[in-house]
Amino acid sequence: MKTRIVVLLLALFYCHSISFAQKEFVNTSVRLSGHPRLLLQKGEEKTLKKMIMKDVIWKDIHQSLLNEAAEIVQLPLNERIKTGRRLLSVSRENLRRIFILSYAYRMTRKGEFLKRAESEMLKAASFSDWNPSHFLDVGEMVLALSIGYDWLYEYLESETRSIVRDAIVEKGLDAAAPDEWFYRAASNWNSVCNGGLLYGALAVFEDVPDKAKKIIERCLLTNPKALSAYGPDGGYPEGFHYWGYGTSFQVLLIAALESALGTDAGLSEYPGFLESARFMEFMTAPSGEYFNFSDAVNGVRCNMMMFWFAKKMGDLSLLWLENQYLENPSVCFAEDRLLPCLLIFCAHQDLSNIQPPSCHFWHNSGKTPVFIYRGGWNSKEDSYLAVKGGSPLTSHAHMDAGSFIYERKGIRWAIDLGMQNYLSLESRGVNLWDQSQEGQRWGVFRLGNMAHNTLTINNKRHLVNSYASINRIYKSEDMKGAEVDLISVFADDMEKVVRIIYLNEEDDLIVKDELVTGEKEALVTWIMVTPAEAKIIGKNQMELAKDGHRMLLTVIAPGDVEMKLWSNEPLHAFDEPNPGSMRVGFETHLPANRKNLLKVTLNLIR
C-alpha cells in the first residue's frame, strides 16, 4: 500500500510539472526580469556585503574568493585539452574561473576581474565544441558561460555578448538532442546536464525564445526522473559523493527557476528530496570520515548546498557539522568551483544559534537502503554503525550488499576502500562501465565483493541482478542495527541468507549471518576490511590494534573455521594500491541442506 501511495504521489507531481510547463513556461511572451536574473539578482550585492561585515567567517570566505580571482587573473587562459574521453576538467575549471571572477567584479567593480572573465568566456566560446559525446562537459560549460553572460551582461562589450550568446546556443542548447539519454537518467547526469542547459536557456531567453522555451519545457518534463532517485524517504542511491555532485546542480537548477521565474514548479517538493539533506548529515561519522559506499572518495568537506537545504526546511540543525567545518581556517569545500553559492545561500539566514540534531538514527529504503546509528554529535569518540543493502546495478555501485562501517573510540575499525579513479582504469583499457555478471568492472579489486565487509559464497561474485533489502531496524539501547536480506545476492548457491548487524548496550559490534544451504555444501568467506594491525591469537579469535586501542574479534560457528588475514595488495596492474589496510575474517564449509548461524563479535579490550 505504501509503495502504491508513493507511486501515485510521484505521478501527481510529474503531471503537476507538465501542467505548469504548459501554463507558464511554454508561453514565449513571458517576460523575465532584466540581467542579472540567475541566483543573485541586481542589487542583491548589498545584502551580501552587510552579511560579510557582520561575521568574520563570511568575511574570510569573501576575501578568499577575491584572492582566488586575483590569482586567476595571472593564469594563462584555459585551453581545450581533453583527458581521455572527457573535457570535464576544463569545463569545471572554466566554471570555477568565470563564477569567481563574476562574483569578484560584482562585489568590487574592479576592471581586472571583468576583463579576465570576458577573456575566459571568449576563449571557451572559440572552442570547436564542448565535447557533447560526454554531455556532463557541456552541462558545466554552459553553466559557466551563462553565469558570466548573465551576471556581467551590462558591462560586457556588445560584440562579446553576441559571441558568448551564440556559443551558449550553438555549443550548448543546440548540442542537446531531444532524445539525449541523460533526460531518462535517474542520476547526477540528469541534474547536471539539465541544470546547465536551463541556465543557458534562462540567460539568453530574449534572443532565442523558441529554443529557450523548449529547453525549459524539456527540463521540467524530465528532471523529475532525477528527483525520483531521492524517493521515497531521502536516501540517495549513488552515495554521499554523487549526492554532493548531482544535488549541487539540482539545487542550482531549482534556485535558477526561483530567481528568474519566481517558482521552482514544485520540483523541491518531490518525495525525499529535501529529506536527503538529513541523509547527507548522517553520512558523516564522528571521526569526520564519510560512509563512502559506491564510487566515493573520503575526506572532510563542507557542503555549501546544506545551507540552501537548511533555509528551505527551516532547520538549522542540518548545519551542525558544516558550521564546525567553517571554523577551520583550512576548510575544504565539496564542489568548490561553486563557492560563491555559499554566501548567496546564507543571505537572509540567522545562523547564530545552530543546535545539534536531536536524532541518532537514520534509515531509508529505495534503491540503496541504508541504516545508520550515530551515538552522538559532540565527540569524535562517539560510536557509529552504518549498514547498506541495494544492488550492483545501481549507478556507481559496488558489490557490497550487506557491508558495514564501524567506528569506536575515534577509530574506524571497519572501512570501505572507496572508489578508484576512473581515468586510471579507462586509460588501461578497463571497461569500467560494464556491469554485466562477467563485466570487467567487477574485476577491479576495490569494486568486487572480496574487498568489502560482506560475505562471499563459493568464491563467486555477487549476482548483479540482485537486490538486498533492509527488512528490519533495531533502535533499542541494547540493539542498534539492521537486518539485511541477502538471498537474491546468493540465489544460485543458498536457500536463505539473512545478515543482522548491530551494536549492543556497550556499543560492541555483533554480526549474525543466518544461512540455509541447498543440495550442495557451501564455502563461506567472511571479510572485514580494516586499517588496524591484526594477529590470530586462537582457534576462533584474532586481535586488532590501532592507535593505542585493541579489539577482540571472536567467531562462533557450527563447524570448524579457518581464521584468515589477507593482504590488500593489488591483484592486477590496473588496481591502485591500498596502503595502511588489510582484510580479516575467516572461511568455513557449510554442509548441504543445513541451517547455520555464524556469529562474529568485535569487543573493545579494556
Side-chain angles (χ1 to χ4, degrees):
M1 182 58 132
K2 182 179 179 181
T3 302
R4 292 178 62 187
I5 292 173
V6 169
V7 171
L8 178 60
L9 284 172
L10 288 172
L12 288 173
F13 274 117
Y14 188 76
C15 291
H16 172 70
S17 293
I18 294 174
S19 174
F20 195 99
Q22 291 171 342
K23 291 179 180 179
E24 300 289 340
F25 291 94
V26 177
N27 188 347
T28 56
S29 66
V30 64
R31 300 184 66 85
L32 304 185
S33 62
H35 299 284
R37 62 175 66 117
L38 300 172
L39 292 178
L40 188 68
Q41 295 180 326
K42 189 173 185 177
E44 290 186 332
E45 299 92 336
K46 294 179 182 178
T47 303
L48 293 189
K49 289 177 180 179
K50 287 181 181 179
M51 181 185 74
I52 290 164
M53 293 303 294
K54 291 180 180 178
D55 193 304
V56 66
I57 289 178
W58 305 135
K59 187 175 181 179
D60 288 346
I61 296 295
H62 168 72
Q63 189 58 51
S64 71
L65 285 166
L66 299 187
N67 293 343
E68 203 166 340
E71 292 173 1
I72 292 170
V73 169
Q74 304 301 319
L75 296 173
L77 289 172
N78 204 20
E79 300 284 346
R80 188 188 187 281
I81 301 174
K82 290 178 67 175
T83 304
R85 66 190 185 97
R86 297 174 176 83
L87 191 67
L88 190 53
S89 61
V90 175
S91 297
R92 289 176 170 174
E93 177 64 7
N94 268 100
L95 178 53
R96 182 184 78 89
R97 293 185 183 191
I98 295 170
F99 203 175
I100 291 173
L101 288 166
S102 299
Y103 170 87
Y105 181 71
R106 289 186 67 176
M107 296 295 282
T108 68
R109 291 296 190 265
K110 290 186 177 180
E112 61 189 289
F113 299 139
L114 172 64
K115 183 179 178 181
R116 183 50 185 263
E118 191 170 14
S119 297
E120 291 287 0
M121 287 192 287
L122 289 171
K123 182 67 175 179
S126 73
F127 292 175
S128 57
D129 61 43
W130 295 338
N131 200 37
S133 63
H134 189 256
F135 212 90
L136 288 179
D137 313 2
V138 179
E140 296 216 24
M141 191 73 84
V142 176
L143 178 61
L145 268 69
S146 298
I147 287 176
Y149 178 84
D150 176 63
W151 280 23
L152 306 176
Y153 185 87
E154 64 178 288
Y155 309 105
L156 297 173
E157 297 288 339
S158 59
E159 183 180 1
T160 298
R161 282 203 300 265
S162 178
I163 292 172
V164 173
R165 180 179 62 244
D166 290 347
I168 289 173
V169 173
E170 295 167 10
K171 296 181 173 70
L173 308 189
D174 289 350
D179 61 348
E180 292 284 355
W181 81 270
F182 64 77
Y183 286 126
R184 303 183 299 276
S187 70
N188 64 87
W189 276 73
N190 186 315
S191 299
V192 175
C193 299
N194 254 326
L197 291 171
L198 178 73
Y199 271 70
L202 291 172
V204 303
F205 189 91
E206 302 92 331
D207 298 284
V208 288
D210 290 327
K211 287 184 179 180
K213 172 207 62 170
K214 290 179 180 177
I215 291 293
I216 296 169
E217 180 182 288
R218 199 176 298 143
C219 172
L220 290 174
L221 291 174
T222 62
N223 187 234
K225 184 70 173 177
L227 291 165
S228 70
Y230 298 86
D233 45 16
Y236 192 67
E238 297 178 315
F240 95 91
H241 183 81
Y242 277 97
W243 186 99
Y245 184 36
T247 306
S248 292
F249 279 79
Q250 187 63 48
V251 167
L252 286 175
L253 188 160
I254 290 172
L257 288 171
E258 291 177 326
S259 64
L261 297 163
T263 177
D264 70 357
L267 295 182
S268 64
E269 300 171 26
Y270 270 75
F273 177 64
L274 294 179
E275 290 77 7
S276 74
R278 185 70 67 199
F279 161 83
M280 193 62 172
E281 190 168 45
F282 271 86
M283 287 290 102
T284 307
S287 66
E289 295 184 29
Y290 296 101
F291 180 18
N292 56 324
F293 69 82
S294 295
D295 284 346
V297 295
N298 223 322
V300 177
R301 297 281 191 277
C302 176
N303 194 300
M304 65 199 80
M305 299 303 159
M306 293 292 282
F307 291 82
W308 181 89
F309 280 93
K311 183 177 181 180
K312 196 79 171 176
M313 299 178 71
D315 185 357
L316 290 182
S317 73
L318 289 169
L319 303 178
W320 179 250
L321 298 176
E322 311 306 318
N323 192 48
Q324 294 175 31
Y325 300 152
L326 287 176
E327 293 175 352
N328 184 343
S330 58
V331 59
C332 295
F333 294 93
E335 313 304 332
D336 57 0
R337 60 197 177 284
L338 306 176
L339 187 54
C341 289
L342 176 60
L343 297 176
I344 294 170
F345 294 152
C346 285
H348 307 293
Q349 285 199 83
D350 180 3
L351 305 177
S352 60
N353 188 31
I354 298 174
Q355 298 297 317
S358 59
C359 182
H360 297 280
F361 293 92
W362 168 267
H363 168 238
N364 67 263
S365 50
K367 286 187 176 181
T368 306
V370 166
F371 165 87
I372 295 173
Y373 167 71
R374 203 183 199 278
W377 295 95
N378 294 298
S379 172
K380 288 185 177 293
E381 293 199 357
D382 289 327
S383 298
Y384 183 82
L385 175 66
V387 180
K388 77 171 292 290
S391 169
L393 290 181
T394 302
S395 177
H396 295 288
H398 296 185
M399 286 184 168
D400 60 355
S403 65
F404 58 91
I405 296 292
Y406 175 52
E407 289 188 6
R408 184 88 181 276
K409 293 295 182 181
I411 298 169
R412 180 164 290 200
W413 297 96
I415 68 172
D416 190 308
L417 293 173
M419 67 180 290
Q420 179 169 337
N421 178 271
Y422 299 155
L423 183 62
S424 70
L425 295 164
E426 292 172 343
S427 63
R428 293 174 184 250
V430 176
N431 186 354
L432 181 58
W433 309 110
D434 180 1
Q435 292 179 296
S436 65
Q437 189 64 48
E438 302 304 322
Q440 277 190 296
R441 179 176 180 82
W442 313 122
V444 178
F445 178 73
R446 292 190 186 180
L447 309 189
N449 43 282
M450 289 293 287
H452 286 96
N453 306 326
T454 187
L455 298 172
T456 295
I457 307 294
N458 295 329
N459 291 317
K460 294 181 181 179
R461 294 177 174 180
H462 286 184
L463 293 176
V464 297
N465 191 23
S466 64
Y467 175 79
S469 59
I470 291 181
N471 291 345
R472 185 177 302 175
I473 58 174
Y474 305 96
K475 293 185 177 182
S476 63
E477 186 66 27
D478 60 349
M479 193 171 186
K480 304 168 286 266
E483 176 185 298
V484 188
D485 188 350
L486 294 169
I487 184 54
S488 73
V489 177
F490 305 112
D492 288 351
D493 297 274
M494 305 294 290
E495 296 297 320
K496 176 183 178 181
V497 183
V498 172
R499 166 164 275 204
I500 303 172
I501 309 170
Y502 65 96
L503 304 186
N504 64 14
E505 191 170 4
E506 288 75 34
D507 284 352
D508 294 324
L509 175 71
I510 296 95
V511 181
K512 294 181 180 179
D513 292 305
E514 300 174 4
L515 305 104
V516 177
T517 51
E519 297 299 321
K520 297 181 180 179
E521 71 168 25
L523 171 64
V524 177
T525 305
W526 192 103
I527 288 175
M528 187 180 87
V529 188
T530 183
E533 295 180 357
K535 60 181 179 181
I536 298 171
I537 60 173
K539 183 179 179 182
N540 288 50
Q541 287 188 323
M542 64 176 65
E543 182 181 294
L544 278 61
K546 185 170 174 60
D547 298 339
H549 293 282
R550 294 180 300 150
M551 299 286 279
L552 182 67
L553 188 152
T554 304
V555 180
I556 300 174
D560 292 337
V561 302
E562 182 180 359
M563 303 299 286
K564 290 271 193 175
L565 304 177
W566 295 275
S567 165
N568 283 342
E569 288 294 315
L571 298 179
H572 313 95
F574 54 71
D575 284 321
E576 288 183 347
N578 305 289
S581 70
M582 64 184 302
R583 289 168 292 159
V584 301
F586 63 91
E587 289 185 343
T588 185
H589 288 271
L590 303 181
N593 299 309
R594 184 79 60 86
K595 294 181 179 179
N596 305 271
L597 176 63
L598 306 178
K599 181 179 179 181
V600 177
T601 59
L602 196 60
N603 303 93
L604 187 68
I605 301 175
R606 295 172 174 83

